[in-house]
Amino acid sequence: MLDYQTILDEILHEITPYLGEGRVASYIPELARVEPSSFAMSLMCVDGSQFHVGEYEKRFSIQSISKLFTLTLAMQLANDSLWERIGKEPSGTPFNSLVQLEYEHGIPRNPFINAGALVVTDVILSHLQDAHQSVLEFIRTLCAKDDINFDFSVAKSEEQTGFRNHAMANFLKSFNNLEHEPSRVLNAYFHHCSIAMSTQELAKSALFLSNGGIQPWSDAPILNARQTKRINALMLTCGTYDSVGDFAYRVGLPAKSGVGGGILATLPGKFSLCVWSPRLNEKGNSFAGTKALELFTTKTKLSIF
Ligand code: DON
């Protein structure tokens, strides 16, 4: 029987030398206001047990981890028709790259790069009038916490400085792969990215991905087993961008990262595991967070491989 609390305590100790490595994202100015050496890790098991270390109740900007929740909601709403407008392959390019979009005729490689998430947001807008509030309410339900909210200063900061995303949405529109006005899609997307959550809340929200699509603590069906398998597969192959191969090699779990420094990982059948540390490596994934996940799967020998 593994003593998860002791393992997390050991990781907290062993990770300390790595907390100064990497850089906090500053291309969204408000994100740079975080304490750079913060660290938290939360493990939630499908049997109801949970273990935490560090600042696991402190909320941070979930950024691209929101792409996991918007994809889940879009799969509920549109199911397989999504894949007529978005691919399922790793991009091999940075999360905010524009180059592939041109020669692939406006079809984003996958739903976890920015272009893919903009199309996912557009799909949500086609089904639900208020994509801001619908996504927020969906996340609140997923973790049974009604005080989860947007960080409006982060959303505004990105709206004012996210020139690449503005270009991307307009580019998608030029290929007729957005039904709505680019500004409307962007405004919803920036708000989704700005949602603030803790590692404890994120791990709880994503537990259905490790339990065949059903939240084990409420028995609520979120997705069917087939859709759940697909999301886990997409996390493994596309969730950590152009370092997805290195991440699978080192950690061996499906995962989704965000430039706020969070990484949310799953082990189907067993647990969800969320880590946060704001300094990023050159690919935009948490430096110490990746190391902590690697230590976890090495110590426990629990990975999908
Ligand atoms: O669109 C952006 O650039 C950010 N709001 C989110 C990017 C992100 O988190 C990618 N993560 N690794």
Side-chain angles (χ1 to χ4, degrees), residues 280-300:
L280 309 177
N281 63 24
E282 69 286 358
K283 305 288 190 182
N285 299 315
S286 171
F287 192 100
T290 305
K291 185 71 195 165
L293 291 170
E294 183 180 2
L295 283 168
F296 182 89
T297 54
T298 304
K299 285 172 184 290
T300 60

Side-chain angles (χ1 to χ4, degrees), residues 251-266:
V251 177
L253 295 173
K256 183 72 207 82
S257 61
V259 291
I263 308 177
L264 180 52
T266 63

Side-chain angles (χ1 to χ4, degrees), residues 178-192:
L178 288 187
E179 285 178 6
H180 302 89
E181 280 309 307
S183 58
R184 195 166 158 215
V185 177
L186 285 163
N187 189 266
Y189 168 80
F190 293 143
H191 281 82
H192 302 158

Side-chain angles (χ1 to χ4, degrees), residues 213-272:
I214 294 167
Q215 276 302 37
W217 45 268
S218 66
D219 283 337
I222 310 299
L223 292 177
N224 65 37
R226 178 167 162 266
Q227 293 168 320
T228 307
K229 181 189 86 176
R230 291 178 163 187
I231 294 208
N232 276 292
L234 285 163
M235 288 166 77
L236 183 75
T237 54
C238 312
T240 46
Y241 308 110
D242 47 334
S243 64
V244 77
D246 182 64
F247 188 91
Y249 179 91
R250 288 170 56 189
V251 177
L253 295 173
K256 183 72 207 82
S257 61
V259 291
I263 308 177
L264 180 52
T266 63
L267 181 57
K270 286 252 184 231
F271 59 68
S272 59

Side-chain angles (χ1 to χ4, degrees), residues 18-228:
Y18 297 94
L19 293 178
E21 305 247 3
R23 287 194 177 185
V24 170
S26 57
Y27 76 99
I28 302 170
E30 273 299 301
L31 287 185
R33 286 159 48 90
V34 71
E35 167 50 53
S37 301
S38 305
F39 181 81
M41 197 166 191
S42 291
L43 172 70
M44 292 257 178
C45 301
V46 295
D47 67 8
S49 54
Q50 50 180 285
F51 309 88
H52 311 274
V53 279
E55 300 172 74
Y56 63 91
E57 288 177 320
K58 186 159 170 70
R59 289 180 174 163
F60 58 91
S61 193
I62 69 171
Q63 291 298 316
S64 283
I65 298 176
S66 64
K67 294 177 169 78
L68 190 56
F69 302 121
T70 50
L71 175 63
T72 301
L73 184 58
M75 281 176 93
Q76 280 187 353
L77 297 167
N79 210 353
D80 286 344
S81 65
L82 264 185
W83 310 117
E84 290 159 21
R85 296 174 57 186
I86 312 170
K88 319 179 195 76
E89 297 294 342
S91 67
T93 55
F95 61 82
N96 56 5
S97 171
L98 283 152
V99 286
Q100 263 169 354
L101 262 188
E102 171 134 46
Y103 58 79
E104 296 187 354
H105 315 292
I107 304 291
R109 270 286 172 107
N110 67 67
F112 290 150
I113 52 173
N114 289 6
L118 289 168
V119 175
V120 166
T121 303
D122 188 62
V123 168
I124 294 174
L125 273 167
S126 298
H127 287 81
L128 306 166
Q129 275 301 307
D130 187 344
H132 293 54
Q133 203 58 28
S134 320
V135 168
L136 184 62
E137 291 302 334
F138 179 60
I139 292 177
R140 286 176 173 173
T141 310
L142 280 181
C143 84
K145 274 273 187 79
D146 58 12
D147 67 339
I148 288 173
N149 221 327
F150 304 114
D151 181 330
F152 291 102
S153 58
V154 170
K156 189 169 168 215
S157 180
E158 190 167 12
E159 185 118 48
Q160 288 169 343
T161 58
F163 301 111
R164 222 166 229 276
N165 283 329
H166 284 279
M168 202 172 288
N170 282 286
F171 207 33
L172 287 163
K173 185 75 176 170
S174 78
F175 285 105
N176 294 319
N177 203 4
L178 288 187
E179 285 178 6
H180 302 89
E181 280 309 307
S183 58
R184 195 166 158 215
V185 177
L186 285 163
N187 189 266
Y189 168 80
F190 293 143
H191 281 82
H192 302 158
C193 291
S194 82
I195 291 172
M197 294 172 77
S198 65
T199 56
Q200 181 175 31
E201 290 163 344
L202 281 165
K204 183 172 180 184
S205 303
L207 205 46
F208 69 95
L209 292 171
S210 301
N211 194 45
I214 294 167
Q215 276 302 37
W217 45 268
S218 66
D219 283 337
I222 310 299
L223 292 177
N224 65 37
R226 178 167 162 266
Q227 293 168 320
T228 307

